[in-house]
Amino acid sequence: MTDDRSATGPGGGKRRIILLMGAAGAGKGTQADRLAVELGTPHLASGNLFRAAIAARTELGARARVYMDRGELVPDALTISMFMDELSRPSAERGAILDGFPRTVGQAAALDNVLAERGDRIDAVVYIEVPDDVLVERLAGRWVCPTCGTPYHELTDPPAASGRCDRDGTDLVQRDDDRPEVVRARLERQIPPMLEVIDHYDRSGRVVRVDGRQSIDAVTSDIMAHLAARADGRA
Ligand SMILES: [Zn+2]
């Protein structure tokens, strides 16, 4: 078979660990799933890892559960152990897409150290860039019918008559979490630490920036083109 795996060396060549970054509303989860298919590697999302480990009753899962049951954050070291556990599976032989972690420079440095101990490193950091105003438009455009529960979106799935449910004509309402000022405040908390993580990896030239305002397909093909170019440069 002559597919892209030859770029990273046949069987047992260096695997590619890719970190996917982007604010809420940037389409990160969607792209992570697509990249996982394109690259044939697992998509490791921090939230899913916890849930899967708890469901599988692993020792790490049991430890994470104690914190989650108390409504506390799972400690970084435990989160990193979970990622390393997943990375040691045969399914991650060719690499993995990391999503949702690290969220801070401290977490990034800790992850780098643990990866380095095993001769691994973050190969590329893909940053899906979307301007704040566009993120707010996307995230704050959600409305719901209080009568039948049908969801709408101002941009992508608007009702036929503005502000009214197509099914029953009820005035649509917005959940508190979807109100523009709440969305904006959430982004203001989320974005600065994310940019610090991106800057951390930018110093070693590992960041790939992609315009997240494009269509979902265009974003995927942009990311794939960037990653292929990086793999060629290293070969
Ligand atoms: Zn309705």
Side-chain angles (χ1 to χ4, degrees):
M1 252 177 99
T2 53
D3 61 8
D4 62 336
R5 81 184 62 187
S6 59
T8 50
K14 182 151 172 48
R15 60 178 176 175
R16 309 184 78 189
I17 300 173
I18 292 160
L19 177 58
L20 202 52
M21 307 281 298
K28 180 165 60 77
T30 304
Q31 294 299 333
D33 285 337
R34 288 172 151 233
L35 289 182
V37 172
E38 294 275 351
L39 299 169
T41 59
H43 167 199
L44 306 178
S46 52
N48 294 343
L49 285 194
F50 298 149
R51 280 189 290 276
I54 289 167
R57 300 181 176 276
T58 67
E59 192 235 324
L60 292 175
R63 283 165 58 198
R65 183 172 196 162
V66 173
Y67 295 95
M68 294 169 82
D69 283 350
R70 289 197 298 236
E72 293 172 15
L73 289 175
V74 176
D76 295 346
L78 186 48
T79 304
I80 290 172
S81 296
M82 285 197 188
F83 274 111
M84 296 313 293
D85 224 33
E86 292 297 324
L87 288 172
S88 65
R89 292 178 199 279
S91 57
E93 213 168 28
R94 293 174 58 191
I97 318 252
L98 270 49
D99 169 14
F101 190 90
R103 287 182 196 276
T104 66
V105 170
Q107 290 174 344
L111 178 65
D112 290 348
N113 286 337
V114 176
L115 284 172
E117 282 168 15
R118 305 206 191 174
D120 266 323
R121 79 198 289 256
I122 301 286
D123 184 75
V125 176
V126 174
Y127 175 30
I128 305 174
E129 278 187 295
V130 178
D132 293 6
D133 289 345
V134 177
L135 292 173
V136 173
E137 259 178 20
R138 287 182 182 179
L139 294 166
R142 291 197 279 237
W143 294 78
V144 66
C145 171
T147 303
C148 68
T150 303
Y152 295 90
H153 193 285
E154 283 172 20
L155 300 176
T156 54
D157 188 20
S162 177
R164 303 196 125 184
C165 181
D166 291 345
R167 295 189 181 179
D168 46 44
T170 309
D171 285 342
L172 301 178
V173 297
Q174 206 164 27
R175 295 188 318 141
D176 280 351
D177 275 0
D178 296 335
R179 281 171 22 228
E181 61 275 24
V182 176
V183 166
R184 209 173 274 282
R186 202 160 65 224
L187 289 171
E188 278 167 12
R189 285 193 306 274
Q190 186 190 40
I191 291 175
M194 180 187 74
L195 293 179
E196 284 179 25
V197 172
I198 289 162
D199 186 54
H200 168 82
Y201 289 107
D202 216 5
R203 285 170 202 184
S204 45
R206 280 180 275 177
V207 177
V208 162
R209 288 182 165 76
V210 172
D211 184 350
R213 288 171 299 185
Q214 307 175 91
S215 71
I216 291 172
D217 283 344
V219 172
T220 308
S221 51
D222 250 21
I223 294 172
M224 289 306 295
H226 279 291
L227 292 179
R230 282 183 64 82
D232 287 346
R234 193 181 53 205

